[in-house]
Amino acid sequence: AVPQKKDPFPGQAPIPVERVKKFVRGDVDKVDALSAWIGQYTLLMVESAWLDTDIWFDILFSLLQYFNLNLSQFGPYRLDYSRAGRHLLLGGRRGHVSCIEWQSKALISEINVMEAVNDVKWLHNEAMFAVAQKKWLYVYDSKGVELHCIRKFNDVLRMEFLPYHFLLATASSSGFLQYLDVSVGKEVTAIGTKMGRLGVMTQNPHNAVIHLGHPNGTVSLWSPNQKEALVKMLCHRGAVRSLTVDKTGMYMVTSGLDRKLKVYDLRAFKPLQSYFLPAGAACLSLSQRGLLCASMGDVVQVYRDVWGTSVKKPYMAHRVRGAVAGLAFCPFEDVLGVGHAEGFTSMIVPGAGEANFDGMALNPYASLRQRQEWEVKTLLEKVQPDLIGLDPSMLGTVDRATWQQKHQERVQALGFDPLAHEKFKPRRRKKGRSSSGAVEKRKRKVAHEDQRVKKDKYYFH
Amino acid sequence: SISIQVRINQSSSLSSSIIHVLFSVPRNYDPTLHPFEVPREYTRALNATKLERVFAKPFVGSLDGHRDGINCMAKHSKSLSILLSGSCDGELKLWDLPKRKCVRTIQAHDGFVRGICSRFCGTSFFTVGDDKTVKKWNMETPGYGEREEPLSTILGKAMFTGIDHHQKDATFATCGQTVDIWDEQRSSPVRSFSWGVDSFSCVRYNPVETELLASCASDRSIVLYDMREATPLKKVVMKLRSNTLCWNPMEAYFFTCSNEDYNLYTYDMRRLNAPVTVHMDHVSAVLDLDYSPTGREFVSASFDKTIRIFRKDGGHSREVYHTKRMQHVICVKWSADNKYILSGSDEMNIRLWKANASEKLGLLSPREKEAHNYNQKLKEKFQHHPQLRRIARHRHLPRDIYKQRRELKEMLGSRRRKEKNVIKHSKPGSVPVVAERQKHVVNVE
């Protein structure tokens, strides 16, 4: 049995009455356990200037969202929230994997895989998850039943799931980036990056490009269509510790061993901001509303608006019980999940989650029927990996290059340019009707003729 | 607005509260919640195109009963469910299309039934045949015990080859050796047009400018007439003879003629010096054509055992229908509700086809309609992408027609290449560049 520490101050802490008054309606004398608990945890809110205003939030719901899981036996915990934010997957380094419906604290399944666990990830729905174990990649059912052991994917350190492509991207310690199509179960491509151990990985949710951070300070961008990196950026003077990309695909936040936190514009690949940290942030996470969370050792700090104005101090800070190994914002809730050496902590971060979800896209309150229909629809519109590139809307642009090439070929074949026409020369009139202004006016009448599609002219298919 | 019904279990421990939210679906159209718009739409368009090909089953049924090849067909002017067809043994049949049964058989002529047309009121119809007669029949079936007799018979001097009735007046036009305008009360033509031509194969009234007529003559020409004038208006002579012509019911200054040189030509009657469009895709003489009531498409029947549907301004067909059992297609009609195509061929069958091969017949639920409209729009949006174009264009053809088509394409390609080379290697401007459409008209008189 693991020796338990004795609490030197057993029972509830004494609560200041003024604090409780703020959050309890009616008679303050009738303070019950509920309000006592609220009073204690308002410590978190008081620091921030933003929350000095009186906001009434539903005590019941927020209470359910703040909790701690003491799991000190099985090592630092990696975590993953499902896409709708209802289910949470925890993976301890020493092999403990559990999935829970975190809002009701219902345990769906809990297993020990008897091997080191490097990373855990939900697949396309809450029925399956992938665990990167010491040697190979395993896929389990939500009940903990092992479905697949994929031996082609070995020494996987980090995983990212691309939901609209049904691709699981894995980064291995031997420098291989592999993509697995989870709908058909085939490996799409294995890219030998030749850049050493791939321990830092994230995806750009806007264009499904994988970002990898390297020990020489570079960040490389990969797509399954090319064997070379799409882009390589030098970001830090030391190793890149962690990186994250926001959901619009415009900003990338990286932190490195040079104790800097940098914000880059991803469209122009230019640095925007650079902040100094006491240590390199081991984990970074961006919420749906643009809150950045960085962890250094066992301290977790939340910053607002890192890419806008220069941030002077964090929005919130919290010390957890052990060194942080995993960090994730819950999708549609104001909650931050922290996986650390002593277990898991769920923190409330007001303003982190998107309040208005779209029922037809990700619906946390979907019924069984809605979920079934949604799964079929997303499978039908699964995007092929060929279309992954830096610009996701490339298919919607006009292909001018092909037209010009074909036109050149046509000119060569015919010997003359069939679309060429003489420049319009307006007639010179007498009696002062040919002043420069009048001539320009006559020219302007015909100026749009170039844009008109004439029936006699050809156009290519 | 969201209607949420919240039920909280009043249990002792707060952590075991369960909240059920009953559904109305809230929407948020923020594009960051809906990434990959273009690739997802593209995938949906691809699926829609593939499914359209999967569901493309145009053949509906066949009307069996004639004992000789079908020569001509006519639509009832008021009813969608009646079809008149005349065969090469002089037999005329009336069909009930929904039941696909023949309701009446008349031995109308000795020899071929050359033309049928129904009167605008829908109570009677006219037939012409090889026995030089024009007969008017009652649309109603004769009662029990009564014999099948025409309402009136007109004896002509020579064989008639076609007939068409005026839209509003009690006049009709026949063609044979001359184009005659008849009044229903008279037994001799009111007016006779001829222009030194041996025979006419087809005459058609303009549906909008009701006084105008057009006819196809055996000297490879198309002649335009005005009923009020004494002489024909205009004539355009082409390289090969036209078999039939049809006026566009919506844009009635256009008419399309089906030619022996495997093409169809759409002319503007105001400018006959060159056709507006040349429709190329058949591999043998085009025998008949009919416009859709929307005026946007037409169907053509050819000696090469296929039916093709063309868009009114399309140089190539959008659809081709063929069956092993269908031999040379002599006549074709597009039903007045724009949904069906009827083809009569010389193996004694009339076939019923869908105008849109993958259309679901019958009543569609609102969701089905919406899904259908969405898919149509998606296909239209991505139609130029090469993968989708390839799938949408693909049609299976019988081997002979496929090979013949390839051969014709090669022949045309080599002719064009030669012209380009001649232009390229001559003094610029010395050899005129002639567009395809200018090449088919010989003369306009």
Side-chain angles (χ1 to χ4, degrees), chain A residues 290-348:
Chain A
L291 293 179
L292 173 74
C293 177
S295 75
M296 287 140 284
D298 55 359
V299 172
V300 164
Q301 288 182 333
V302 180
Y303 295 89
R304 277 177 75 205
D305 196 25
V306 265
W307 42 74
T309 51
S310 195
V311 166
K312 294 283 183 299
K313 59 179 174 67
Y315 174 44
M316 288 163 92
H318 186 56
R319 174 174 249 114
V320 288
R321 284 164 206 211
V324 173
L327 209 58
F329 277 99
C330 182
F332 295 102
E333 299 286 340
D334 288 346
V335 157
L336 170 68
V338 184
H340 48 83
E342 297 293 318
F344 171 77
T345 302
S346 170
M347 284 171 52
I348 303 175

Side-chain angles (χ1 to χ4, degrees), chain B residues 54-112:
Chain B
V54 165
F55 292 126
K57 295 183 174 128
F59 183 63
V60 177
S62 92
L63 305 171
D64 196 23
H66 271 291
R67 286 176 302 173
D68 205 343
I70 290 119
N71 208 21
C72 53
M73 289 196 296
K75 296 183 269 197
H76 191 291
S77 48
K78 296 280 177 190
S79 161
L80 289 175
S81 47
I82 298 176
L83 178 76
L84 303 127
S85 64
S87 71
C88 297
D89 61 354
E91 212 173 53
L92 189 82
K93 277 184 185 275
L94 264 88
W95 303 89
D96 183 322
L97 286 176
K99 291 188 195 141
R100 290 191 228 138
K101 282 201 160 62
C102 172
V103 292
R104 193 171 157 202
T105 310
I106 312 168
Q107 185 57 43
H109 293 275
D110 302 323
F112 286 36

Side-chain angles (χ1 to χ4, degrees), chain A residues 68-351:
Chain A
N68 262 313
L69 294 174
N70 291 333
L71 309 155
S72 42
Q73 281 185 307
F74 291 102
Y77 277 81
R78 298 269 311 156
L79 70 142
D80 187 33
Y81 281 103
S82 71
R83 285 185 71 213
R86 291 278 300 273
H87 299 253
L88 169 66
L89 187 62
L90 291 170
R93 185 147 205 91
R94 296 202 185 94
H96 176 219
V97 177
S98 78
C99 50
I100 55 178
E101 201 179 317
W102 65 271
Q103 274 169 333
S104 59
K105 319 292 180 307
L107 180 74
I108 302 172
S109 76
E110 180 175 40
I111 50 172
N112 193 307
V113 300
M114 308 304 276
E115 244 194 340
V117 166
N118 292 330
D119 201 4
V120 285
K121 229 13 158 226
W122 284 108
L123 294 184
H124 55 280
N125 60 4
E126 289 101 0
M128 294 207 286
F129 57 87
V131 179
Q133 293 179 208
K134 179 176 168 198
K135 272 207 196 135
W136 299 310
L137 181 69
Y138 287 77
V139 176
Y140 293 87
D141 182 47
S142 63
K143 293 293 178 196
V145 176
E146 181 188 319
L147 296 175
H148 302 281
C149 166
I150 306 156
R151 275 185 283 225
K152 241 184 162 200
F153 289 67
N154 53 332
D155 309 306
V156 175
L157 289 178
R158 289 281 183 265
M159 299 190 288
E160 281 289 333
F161 187 67
L162 308 173
Y164 295 95
H165 303 77
F166 282 76
L167 290 178
L168 184 69
T170 61
S172 76
S173 60
S174 47
F176 273 84
L177 176 65
Q178 292 170 299
Y179 288 84
L180 173 72
D181 188 332
V182 300
S183 59
V184 289
K186 292 224 160 74
E187 184 199 42
V188 173
T189 176
I191 305 170
T193 60
K194 301 195 188 74
M195 298 185 83
R197 187 176 181 278
L198 305 174
V200 178
M201 181 195 204
T202 193
Q203 67 162 300
N204 182 339
H206 177 68
N207 58 10
V209 161
I210 296 291
H211 294 234
L212 296 173
H214 302 287
N216 59 358
T218 51
V219 168
S220 52
L221 276 61
W222 299 86
S223 107
N225 303 319
Q226 253 186 291
K227 290 296 180 192
E228 302 86 29
L230 294 168
V231 178
K232 280 187 192 169
M233 291 168 69
L234 180 65
C235 291
H236 288 279
R237 293 177 75 181
V240 175
R241 275 299 262 130
S242 68
L243 58 113
T244 182
V245 181
D246 86 317
K247 65 174 179 162
T248 58
M250 284 204 281
Y251 306 106
M252 177 171 73
V253 185
T254 66
S255 81
L257 278 185
D258 59 351
R259 287 173 279 166
K260 286 250 163 55
L261 182 87
K262 290 192 179 178
V263 181
Y264 286 89
D265 180 342
L266 269 185
R267 300 285 160 86
F269 300 108
K270 290 213 157 71
L272 285 177
Q273 303 278 1
S274 176
Y275 303 104
F276 186 76
L277 295 173
C283 297
L284 283 177
S285 179
L286 271 168
S287 85
Q288 283 174 323
R289 299 287 311 274
L291 293 179
L292 173 74
C293 177
S295 75
M296 287 140 284
D298 55 359
V299 172
V300 164
Q301 288 182 333
V302 180
Y303 295 89
R304 277 177 75 205
D305 196 25
V306 265
W307 42 74
T309 51
S310 195
V311 166
K312 294 283 183 299
K313 59 179 174 67
Y315 174 44
M316 288 163 92
H318 186 56
R319 174 174 249 114
V320 288
R321 284 164 206 211
V324 173
L327 209 58
F329 277 99
C330 182
F332 295 102
E333 299 286 340
D334 288 346
V335 157
L336 170 68
V338 184
H340 48 83
E342 297 293 318
F344 171 77
T345 302
S346 170
M347 284 171 52
I348 303 175
V349 180

Side-chain angles (χ1 to χ4, degrees), chain B residues 26-40:
Chain B
R27 298 305 309 265
N28 184 351
Y29 298 100
D30 182 7
T32 51
L33 287 178
H34 304 271
F36 302 103
E37 284 173 345
V38 176
R40 284 159 81 190

Side-chain angles (χ1 to χ4, degrees), chain B residues 131-362:
Chain B
D131 56 357
K132 306 179 192 173
T133 50
V134 181
K135 292 186 183 172
K136 180 179 179 180
W137 307 83
N138 200 339
M139 197 63 88
E140 268 180 38
T141 323
Y144 183 74
E146 286 175 27
R147 283 183 62 209
E148 191 74 71
E149 288 287 351
L151 289 174
S152 67
T153 311
I154 301 168
L155 216 59
K157 291 189 211 101
M159 199 179 84
F160 295 112
T161 50
I163 184 169
D164 197 23
H165 200 285
H166 195 272
Q167 298 292 329
K168 292 176 235 167
D169 297 344
T171 46
F172 59 92
T174 60
C175 62
Q177 278 188 350
T178 54
V179 171
D180 302 321
I181 312 286
W182 302 76
D183 191 302
E184 281 179 20
Q185 316 298 332
R186 309 269 186 84
S187 59
S188 64
V190 169
R191 189 162 283 144
S192 257
F193 296 106
S194 72
W195 197 332
V197 175
D198 196 9
S199 68
F200 296 88
S201 61
C202 164
V203 66
R204 290 277 184 263
Y205 270 102
N206 189 320
V208 175
E209 295 281 338
T210 49
E211 307 301 318
L212 297 178
L213 295 121
S215 70
C216 296
S218 64
D219 68 341
R220 306 169 280 123
S221 67
I222 297 173
V223 194
L224 290 177
Y225 311 90
D226 189 326
M227 233 171 60
R228 303 162 287 197
E229 304 260 318
T231 52
L233 287 174
K234 255 189 180 175
K235 184 184 197 180
V236 55
V237 183
M238 289 194 286
K239 291 202 170 142
L240 285 179
R241 187 173 58 92
S242 296
N243 286 316
T244 355
L245 69 85
C246 186
W247 292 93
N248 187 328
M250 281 291 141
E251 292 168 344
Y253 37 87
F254 286 139
F255 65 87
T256 306
C257 63
S258 61
N259 211 314
E260 286 280 321
D261 68 352
Y262 315 169
N263 297 344
L264 296 110
Y265 301 96
T266 303
Y267 283 94
D268 185 336
M269 69 175 177
R270 305 165 291 192
R271 251 176 30 108
L272 291 174
N273 57 348
V276 173
T277 322
V278 179
H279 310 276
M280 288 181 168
D281 248 349
H282 278 293
V283 298
S284 193
V286 191
L287 297 177
D288 197 10
L289 86 139
D290 192 27
Y291 260 94
S292 144
T294 60
R296 291 212 198 127
E297 294 178 320
F298 60 87
V299 59
S300 65
S302 157
F303 195 71
D304 69 357
K305 308 175 192 174
T306 59
I307 306 171
R308 279 185 191 262
I309 302 176
F310 292 83
R311 269 190 216 98
K312 75 161 175 95
D313 50 3
H316 290 276
S317 59
R318 76 154 171 93
E319 190 71 76
V320 55
Y321 294 159
H322 57 86
T323 327
K324 265 204 186 122
R325 284 182 158 197
M326 183 163 76
Q327 303 305 314
H328 311 293
V329 193
I330 310 293
C331 50
V332 77
K333 285 276 173 236
W334 199 310
S335 78
D337 59 351
N338 196 28
K339 281 198 169 159
Y340 300 100
I341 288 169
L342 293 139
S343 69
S345 47
D346 70 352
E347 28 73 30
M348 311 176 241
N349 269 60
I350 301 174
R351 284 184 179 78
L352 190 63
W353 309 82
K354 285 192 238 173
N356 288 317
S358 46
E359 186 188 359
K360 186 173 179 194
L361 298 173

